[in-house]
Amino acid sequence: MSRASKGNSRLRLTVSGRVQGVGFRPAVYRLADELKLSGTVSNTTSGAVIEVEGPVAIIEKFVRALPRRLPTHCSIATMDHAVLPPSGSKIFRIEKSRAVADAGAQVPPDLNLCASCRAELFNPTDRRYRYPFINCTDCGPRFSIIQGIPYDRRKTTMSAFDLCPACAAEYHEPGNRRFHAQPNACADCGPQLRLIDASGKSLGNGNDALKKCARLIKAGKICAVKGIGGFHLVCDALNATAILTLRARKHRPSKPLAVMARDLRTAAAWCMTTPAERASLSSAARPIVLLRKRPGLHPRVLDILSPGNGALGVMLPYTPLHELLFADGAFTFLVMTSGNRADEPIAIDDDDARARLTGIADAFLVHDRPIHNRCDDSIIQLTGGRRPSVHFIRRSRGYVPEPIPFSAGPSAARIFAAGAELKNTFTLTRGSSAIVSPYMGDLDNEAAIRAYQLSFRRLRSFLDIQPSAIACDLHPDYASTHFAHSYAAKGKLPLIRVQHHHAHVASVLAEHRVTHTSIGIAFDGTGLGTDGMVWGGECFVVTNARFSRCAALEGFPLPGGDLASREIWRLAAGAQAYADIRSALPARYPSDMVRQMVHASLNSPLCSSAGRVFDMVAALAGLRYECDFEAQAAMELESLAAAAPGAARMDFDKKKVYNFTVLPGGAAPASGRDGGVMIVLRDMYRQIAADTAAGISPGIISLTFHRTMAQIIVAMALHARAAGGGTTVCLSGGVFQNRLLLTLAQNRLAAQGFTVLTNAAVPVNDGGISLGQAWCAAHGYRN
Ligand code: ZN
Ligand code: ZN
Ligand code: FE
């Protein structure tokens, strides 16, 4: 033995990156085995450690070959080398996982069914033929079933299932593609399907359950189907009556519903798809992609799925269960919407689903593999023609818990940032990694708040991050603020309250690692300003996390406060009063009363929200007077403008925008802009009312309005540049989900010599707030 190891050396490679749960150790094993090197590979809490022993030249060959031999979903961030004395080892082994001090292991997100497993699924001679939980080292559930790191079967919700001899053989055989696939299972030893009715009575098991479920859906019923990160409510998307029933039962009259298309070709029958959109649809994350409906194509169901909206949310099947369901029912499109009631969190437990979805779902397709981490479907959209870029509307399943590279700034703090109120996420940071939580939804109900606290506890302990500073919104009444406050108090930790729109802008700075002075423009719904007013149309100059507000939309009245975001006719009535417009609103609305309220400054707080400007314009243009959900009016305005003649032209001239005035601060009511300017929109409101009265089409009005908003953004940026803000503009806030406005603003700003940045790693909406809060806390923000 000693002679055999003469001239040998041993090298330890300490690897970080996405190396757990993606077939890294098996790949290392196979390479070492091929090269006849001895040694070990093991997962650690911070990544993986390889030790290889053999002739130096062969070890070098191993190190060179390794990057080329990585499985699809694997990526190495860093690899440190250390030379060790040879131990005389003879074989290569995968060792038991060990714990090391710094827990930073990257746990992979859930991965869609791979092609090899799909082929086995539909192969009648395969032993996993039609087994709905088939998976391998390249595919299957990950984050949603992981309870702790290092990633091992015993720390997942698969720990309750013992491998049968056949599965165990695959798991232990290095050449097998299920070698160390932690969720490996088959029909003999793994999770099983069950179809039950609302009372819990069994309607069938296994494949019988699947086939019965497909028949029910085909017959127009609604089924709750347990997926990867939670339950879906499923019905046939070709059946208008079924969709309307689902809408009625879910009390969701008009909010868009996402569909799952059988495959790419099917998706293209309803929607236009670019190559980049097709790539996103088929990516391992399998997000919902917002696609443009085909013009001239009008199946009635398309209008029921997303009324008044030019886009439809589409995804492709991502689990074996989905594939089987499509095959058994010969479906082309299925509605797949979150299995929840109103704004509550999506159900993940079988009993909870039955308790909460009874009355909505006719039957429940469940199974006994528990979901540990709730993870809604992600939603993305793409902008840009030749150089398309992905924008998140919701970043969750398929992406979480992938860390976002983060510049920690001067403090080495580990930060817990609690996020905002709506579309909440929270963030935990450690060093140069920020881990943004799954989508938590709106924290406006008890169930959501409880789910938020549970997710925080689980993710915190799972990542083993002990926060040393806490960040939250400036708004004192957000549930996330309350939680952050009590968490900080209990641990005697510093609490940093970050103004909402500062956090929006900071999320862009964080993502793009901007360190120089720059301009931040937040066009958003609403957030509490540092002056106690409601903000949402703001321009800042940012230097080292110090924000100075150098331009903002003029405050306008929000008659009835929060009520005005649903009853948007109130905004139009308010504009009539403050901009002296004489157009009439439909008689059913008590607009006289509201005008008097505004004149008397009764319950009419001033707000500068760009999101509310969209609502007001929709009402002034007679498009709609009430909203069922946030941004409904804005989506309609965007769809109308995008379909209007000339919408594709970006080089519009001055005649094609409405008038607005740039006023030095202090010259008009509701000023106090830190010596900045105020953008006065009264002329625009009057012109829109006049155009509407003159019968100009809503599409043209909306397109002109979009161009005006883009011009306002340019005017703000020019002012900020003159005030020393530099030439980088960061755009964020929910209004920039509007693809037309974003594209117009980007083009107009670029034409003025600005570098334009916006969110790509987190949503521009409030789902990105927690990352921005974390950045502010890390960079010494104080207000
Ligand atoms: Zn697979
Ligand atoms: Zn088995
Ligand atoms: Fe916001």
Side-chain angles (χ1 to χ4, degrees), residues 164 167 186 189:
C164 71
C167 287
C186 74
C189 65

Side-chain angles (χ1 to χ4, degrees), residues 296-367:
L297 187 77
H298 294 296
R300 182 167 160 245
V301 287
L302 276 185
D303 294 329
I304 302 175
L305 289 167
S306 62
N309 195 320
L312 179 70
V314 181
M315 61 183 150
L316 297 182
Y318 54 86
T319 69
L321 177 58
H322 296 151
E323 295 279 356
L324 292 169
L325 200 55
F326 269 91
D328 286 350
F331 299 113
T332 50
F333 289 96
L334 289 171
V335 171
M336 286 260 179
T337 190
S338 326
N340 57 4
R341 206 174 265 282
D343 292 329
E344 287 182 0
I346 174 171
I348 55 173
D349 299 331
D350 299 0
D351 292 340
D352 181 42
R354 215 153 41 76
R356 281 165 52 201
L357 302 178
T358 292
I360 303 179
D362 298 301
F364 297 79
L365 188 60
V366 301
H367 58 73

Side-chain angles (χ1 to χ4, degrees), residues 258-478:
V259 297
M260 186 175 276
R262 185 173 57 198
D263 50 30
L264 269 183
R265 241 192 44 213
T266 309
W270 277 2
C271 298
M272 323 256 280
T273 56
T274 63
E277 285 167 340
R278 288 193 291 278
S280 291
L281 281 166
S282 356
S283 67
R286 292 283 157 118
I288 295 169
V289 183
L290 298 186
L291 300 174
R292 288 185 180 81
K293 295 176 187 167
R294 272 188 189 285
L297 187 77
H298 294 296
R300 182 167 160 245
V301 287
L302 276 185
D303 294 329
I304 302 175
L305 289 167
S306 62
N309 195 320
L312 179 70
V314 181
M315 61 183 150
L316 297 182
Y318 54 86
T319 69
L321 177 58
H322 296 151
E323 295 279 356
L324 292 169
L325 200 55
F326 269 91
D328 286 350
F331 299 113
T332 50
F333 289 96
L334 289 171
V335 171
M336 286 260 179
T337 190
S338 326
N340 57 4
R341 206 174 265 282
D343 292 329
E344 287 182 0
I346 174 171
I348 55 173
D349 299 331
D350 299 0
D351 292 340
D352 181 42
R354 215 153 41 76
R356 281 165 52 201
L357 302 178
T358 292
I360 303 179
D362 298 301
F364 297 79
L365 188 60
V366 301
H367 58 73
D368 49 359
R369 183 180 71 199
I371 298 171
H372 187 68
N373 298 306
R374 176 183 283 111
C375 222
D376 289 60
D377 290 318
S378 297
I379 309 175
I380 63 163
Q381 62 180 358
L382 285 99
T383 59
R386 271 162 290 124
R387 276 182 300 149
S389 51
V390 171
H391 302 276
F392 283 101
I393 306 287
R394 182 198 292 165
R395 180 184 179 273
S396 212
R397 179 191 51 76
Y399 300 95
V400 175
E402 189 117 298
I404 292 169
F406 183 72
S407 63
S411 78
R414 293 172 308 280
I415 295 151
F416 160 50
E421 176 84 341
L422 304 178
K423 303 182 181 68
N424 176 283
T425 64
F426 60 86
T427 290
L428 287 157
T429 75
R430 172 175 36 218
S432 57
S433 288
I435 292 95
V436 182
S437 75
Y439 172 77
M440 294 286 127
D442 298 349
L443 302 185
D444 56 2
N445 60 82
E446 267 310 308
I449 295 166
R450 273 199 311 276
Y452 172 88
Q453 295 176 354
L454 179 65
S455 291
F456 168 73
R457 280 198 298 275
R458 285 187 173 172
L459 198 62
R460 194 214 62 72
S461 81
F462 162 90
L463 296 166
D464 195 23
I465 293 177
Q466 205 51 257
S468 59
I470 316 294
C472 66
D473 199 276
L474 192 59
H475 201 300
D477 299 333
Y478 286 177

